[in-house]
Amino acid sequence: MPRIEIAPNVFWIGVNDYNTELFEGLWPVSEKGVSYNSYLLKDQKNVLIDLVKSSYFDEFLYQIKQVIEPRDLHYIVVNHMEPDHSGTLSLLREVAPQATILCTPQAQPMIQAFYHLEKGIQTVQDGDELSLGTKKLQFFFIPFVHWPETMVTFEQSFGILFSCDAFGGYGALKGTIFDDQCQNLDFYIDEALRYYANIVAKFSAMVKKAIAKLSDIKPNVVAPSHGLIWRGNPQQIVELYQKWADFQTTGGEAGVTLLYGTMYGATEKATETFMQGLLKSEVPFEVFDVRKIHPSYILKTLWQNRGVAVAVPTYETGLFPPLAHLLDLAKRKGIAGKKVVYLGSFAWSGGAKRELEKWCADLNWEMIDSLEFKGNPTIQEFQKVEELGNRFGKMIKQVSI
Ligand code: FEO
């Protein structure tokens, strides 16, 4: 998309990326896309705030040139060093060698390590202000949202918060960059939650600190470096991030994530019966085949729902491997406080339940109930499975947070 003016002489000059298969080499984004939002402020001093991924330099340069020539750039603000926002820094420096790079003291050695740039870098301190002429910027450090060196930049005259990863989300920008012009806000909120669970969740305590720290600012526009720019209702995305951060301690909302896998159909049959029980309990639930659905999507729902139903068979005296992989990711992302049930088939010794119990202890999840059966379930076992689903669903609906 061509440049878009957010406020007088404040321009979005970002790019959409549909080509990267896996964001961070891990999370699928090629289908729904992702945006790298960069901003250019024109004043007596011209400032670029955050850049784009290196493979988009040509498009990025074109975007800059729609507003100013690179030689007229005075400052480049690097809020965050992850290369989706800084990857074009070396190339930009070649066409704008006069521009001073502004960053936190923690970012400076990273810039040297990633881009071997030594000169023309100026560090700022938390709360520092910078006058551009008619506009004034202020910098606030928000460590670990997403890396330890991260800060946000606040433009004071129009009240625009350039928040980088904070309040961002997946999803390329289609036709508009603004929340108040967007026809499918639910899509962007859903993709923001997936982004949160994939990228930011581990640092939820720091997200809460950042929101508290920025609470006095009350921005008119929240302009992250991924996803929509929140102009119509800037508080909406802040409140969503607050709610999602709280899930790390509350365990989430009243819903069940059903994780299932099967080898020859025995556990699948039981899972179908379990779902009948869940349905009768009227608890909201979402079902994922762990063999087929990418963990990126599962982590989103796992983060959100306080109930987790695991329905996988024993595999070589332990957990079904795709499920074990998912639990490993859940641990790395700090997903805690869940209520769990297990059901599944075994052929000779069992073992899945035993391994799941160890994972639950490790994850700070509570195993509520379980039902293992040998081979295919009997009529009586099917009945018990349905009762288990119904009981668990009712419990998840009622459990207080
Ligand atoms: Fe969008 Fe942590 O980079």
Side-chain angles (χ1 to χ4, degrees):
M1 282 192 295
R3 74 174 202 188
I4 295 170
E5 197 163 18
I6 297 175
N9 285 318
V10 179
F11 298 90
W12 173 91
I13 54 160
V15 301
N16 279 322
D17 178 1
Y18 287 100
N19 298 312
T20 296
E21 196 65 37
L22 298 172
F23 191 81
E24 289 191 336
L26 289 166
W27 318 110
V29 288
S30 60
E31 184 192 344
K32 295 171 183 178
V34 63
S35 72
Y36 311 120
N37 301 333
S38 174
Y39 303 94
L40 188 47
L41 282 63
K42 251 179 95 174
D43 207 326
Q44 290 165 24
K45 303 286 185 187
N46 300 315
V47 181
L48 187 64
I49 300 177
D50 291 326
L51 292 78
V52 306
K53 196 173 169 181
S54 59
S55 46
Y56 286 88
F57 183 69
D58 285 352
E59 192 175 337
F60 185 48
L61 193 59
Y62 175 78
Q63 295 282 60
I64 295 170
K65 285 185 173 186
Q66 286 188 85
V67 184
I68 60 167
E69 285 300 318
R71 63 174 174 272
D72 295 327
L73 201 55
H74 295 88
Y75 295 108
I76 300 167
V77 173
V78 177
N79 277 324
H80 172 33
M81 256 302 295
E82 194 164 8
D84 52 332
H85 308 293
S86 69
T88 43
L89 194 56
S90 300
L91 291 169
L92 183 61
R93 210 52 191 308
E94 286 182 20
V95 294
Q98 75 294 336
T100 300
I101 296 168
L102 299 176
C103 63
T104 63
Q106 293 84 354
Q108 186 171 16
M110 290 184 176
I111 289 174
Q112 289 165 355
F114 273 80
Y115 305 113
H116 311 299
L117 296 174
E118 303 278 347
K119 294 178 183 167
I121 301 172
Q122 186 180 319
T123 60
V124 300
Q125 296 301 318
D126 194 14
D128 274 2
E129 295 183 341
L130 176 72
S131 176
L132 307 178
T134 62
K135 301 178 180 59
K136 194 187 272 184
L137 301 180
Q138 191 169 16
F139 307 103
F140 296 100
F141 293 6
I142 56 162
F144 288 102
V145 190
H146 155 225
W147 282 6
E149 88 305 356
T150 309
M151 66 176 184
V152 296
T153 301
F154 184 57
E155 194 285 318
Q156 293 180 343
S157 30
F158 301 108
I160 305 171
L161 179 65
F162 299 101
S163 59
C164 203
D165 276 358
F167 316 124
Y170 297 135
L173 299 167
K174 300 179 180 74
T176 181
I177 63 171
F178 297 115
D179 63 329
D180 55 4
Q181 292 177 338
C182 176
Q183 292 181 334
N184 52 350
L185 206 55
D186 287 348
F187 164 81
Y188 287 101
I189 291 173
D190 203 49
E191 283 293 281
L193 176 54
R194 184 165 72 95
Y195 172 85
Y196 187 93
N198 292 180
I199 309 296
V200 191
K202 181 182 179 68
F203 308 106
S204 287
M206 302 308 281
V207 170
K208 289 199 262 191
K209 278 189 182 173
I211 291 173
K213 180 172 181 172
L214 299 172
S215 62
D216 290 338
I217 290 179
K218 303 199 184 341
N220 295 317
V221 179
V222 173
S225 290
H226 299 295
L228 285 178
I229 283 82
W230 301 79
R231 171 181 76 173
N233 186 359
Q235 266 310 105
Q236 184 173 6
I237 191 65
V238 178
E239 286 167 7
L240 284 167
Y241 259 62
Q242 177 73 54
K243 181 173 85 165
W244 298 336
D246 286 341
F247 287 166
Q248 192 169 52
T249 45
T250 63
E253 295 175 331
V256 172
T257 309
L258 172 49
L259 307 171
Y260 102 95
T262 194
M263 293 166 68
Y264 295 102
T267 301
E268 185 172 72
K269 288 176 204 154
T271 304
E272 286 169 346
T273 304
F274 183 83
M275 284 191 275
Q276 290 176 305
L278 281 180
L279 198 68
K280 282 181 183 166
S281 77
E282 297 183 347
V283 73
F285 66 95
E286 244 182 290
V287 187
F288 296 96
D289 184 337
V290 296
R291 301 168 302 176
K292 298 174 184 172
I293 309 294
H294 194 285
S296 170
Y297 298 94
I298 303 177
L299 288 175
K300 182 199 79 171
T301 304
L302 204 53
W303 185 262
Q304 186 173 26
N305 288 334
R306 76 173 66 121
V308 181
V310 175
V312 296
T314 289
Y315 185 84
E316 294 176 354
T317 72
L319 267 176
F320 195 53
L323 196 276
H325 172 57
L326 192 62
L327 295 177
D328 177 61
L329 284 173
K331 188 183 172 193
R332 289 167 193 272
K333 294 297 169 190
I335 299 180
K338 305 298 177 187
K339 309 286 183 192
V340 184
V341 292
Y342 169 75
L343 68 149
S345 171
F346 64 93
W348 68 94
S349 71
K353 180 190 159 194
R354 209 165 39 241
E355 188 180 333
L356 181 60
E357 283 169 340
K358 285 184 195 161
W359 274 107
C360 285
D362 214 16
L363 285 155
N364 189 27
W365 293 7
E366 185 187 357
M367 178 88 100
I368 301 294
D369 211 340
S370 64
L371 201 159
E372 288 183 291
F373 49 88
K374 193 164 188 173
N376 280 304
T378 63
I379 294 291
Q380 292 78 14
E381 284 165 335
F382 272 126
Q383 193 176 340
K384 285 181 182 173
V385 167
E386 184 177 337
E387 287 165 4
L388 179 66
N390 187 251
R391 210 164 51 241
F392 185 60
K394 283 179 178 165
M395 196 214 82
I396 292 299
K397 275 173 66 184
Q398 286 167 3
V399 74
S400 61
I401 57 173

